[in-house]
Amino acid sequence: MCNQCKGNYYITTPIYYPSSNLHIGHAYCTVATDAMARYKRLQGYNVKFLTGTDEHGQKIEEKAKEAGVTPQQFVDNIVLGERGVLDLWKLMNISYDRFIRTTDDYHVAAIQKIFKKMYDNGDIYKGSYKGKYCTPCESFWTESQLVDGKCPDCGRECKDAEEEAYFFKMSKYADQLMKHIEEHPGFIQPESRKNEMINNFLKPGLQDLCVSRSSFTWGVPLTFAPGHVSYVWLDALSNYITFCGYDPDGNHDEHYKKFWPADLHLIGKDIVRFHTIYWPIFLMSMGEPLPKQVFGHPWLLVKGDKMSKSKGNMIYADDLVELFGVDAVRYFVLHEMPFASDGIMTYELIIERINSELANILGNLVNRTVAMNNKYFGGEIQVPNTPDALDEELKAVALAMPGKVEAKMNELKVADAIDEIFVLLRRANKYIDETMPWALAKSDETKPRLGTVLYNLLEAIRFAAIALKPFLPDTSDRILAQINAENGGLESLTSFGVLPSGTSVGAGEILF
């Protein structure tokens, strides 16, 4: 933890359902969370970044049966196996601090205590369930909630379900939740998701939620109700507090006291209801504070469609990395995903972005600048001693950039934050055209001016490289190595002219 730490910051991805290998949509969510976590570290926060897998439920049990293995073997293969979740996050350079699995012993024990606490509070009662159940979504529906007789979330067939079950009194906390949403306008973002939750679920009235199953066994068994397992969403959502030592008896771990409530749950827009209605109400039942913000990000669409195995349009991150490299894939998914509307992914668009932005605007700038410094000064960084009005404009753009990036990141507008860095890169490229270093190199009289121009370019590149660290971590390190500069964090971007003269740049290399 830093000496002048700005405080603690706790951020999470959803925990992913390992019914099959994760695709680029899951990778986008995790890369976006990683970018935010890395940015907060760069700002000086003590960050806790959690991700993991949600491993129980009827769908997993059925998939395991089809595969001829136990449910535990099935999820182990998806999480730990080749091209599994852990391999994927390592490949994508994800800097998580903890990875939780809902099959972890400590989590299972905590869920049993949480369920019992809610039951003892009088918030859960025994009854019987009769209605429709969507196995892929692990969601209960009444007949009236179906759309054309199918699941309103995923559009797939629902099965008739009838079994003894326990129910949670959702309506008991509905007014309290509505009041919280009204008093904390940033709690659900973007605004469109908040309006959807209020108008589609809270205003029509919340129905009691079935929170146990007795027709299958792959779940957290209830200690006081033999034959029942916890509803998968109660099990899964509670991971955000079980990982850091929440104890229903009040004997919380220091981690819980330090990091809860979470600063941000970053999730896909399709699971906003679970995170902004079910999860807050469960926490109210436990008497615990609510997370500060839930952001439901849009989807990455392939040719206008959501990715699904049935449509045969799945794209996997590791396949893309093999073709384009890790940082190119990170850049594409972060830059092409608007704040609130769905992004489009095609191979052609990826190639276009790599060529026009990464290779041309960024890579070419670094390569040309380092090459000229090596060619004209044997690599030695010169003293900037011949100022010009053109320099001041470049410096002003560089010094304004960190604040503009911070403003965009505070709003979770990651794509816009990256754009602000590229404003500086474009200005630096224009500066080369304006100052014409190759012309300055022709005369000894203009050599000092050439040294100043190249110094300013190297310093602008330092600004960009440090700011790019959350988004393109490997590329950032490679650029800083080429210009022989340290990553001094955002604090080092408060003045232009930090790069020490007299040191030497490294050998230039092609970034993209």
Side-chain angles (χ1 to χ4, degrees), residues 340-372:
S341 53
D342 294 331
I344 303 294
M345 166 168 275
T346 67
Y347 283 89
E348 293 79 12
L349 198 52
I350 297 172
I351 292 165
E352 182 188 322
R353 288 286 177 263
I354 292 170
N355 289 339
S356 66
E357 291 161 20
L358 294 179
N360 189 26
I361 296 170
L362 172 59
N364 196 31
L365 171 67
V366 175
N367 190 257
R368 283 201 293 171
T369 304
V370 171
M372 286 191 288

Side-chain angles (χ1 to χ4, degrees), residues 18 30 40 54 71-72 107 120 155 162 168 173 177 204 298-299 334 336 374 462 493:
T30 310
K40 287 295 179 182
D54 163 19
Q72 188 66 59
H107 174 79
D120 290 343
E162 186 172 358
F168 189 100
Y173 296 96
L177 177 57
W299 288 333
L334 291 173
E336 290 308 303
N374 279 318
R462 181 184 71 86
L493 304 185

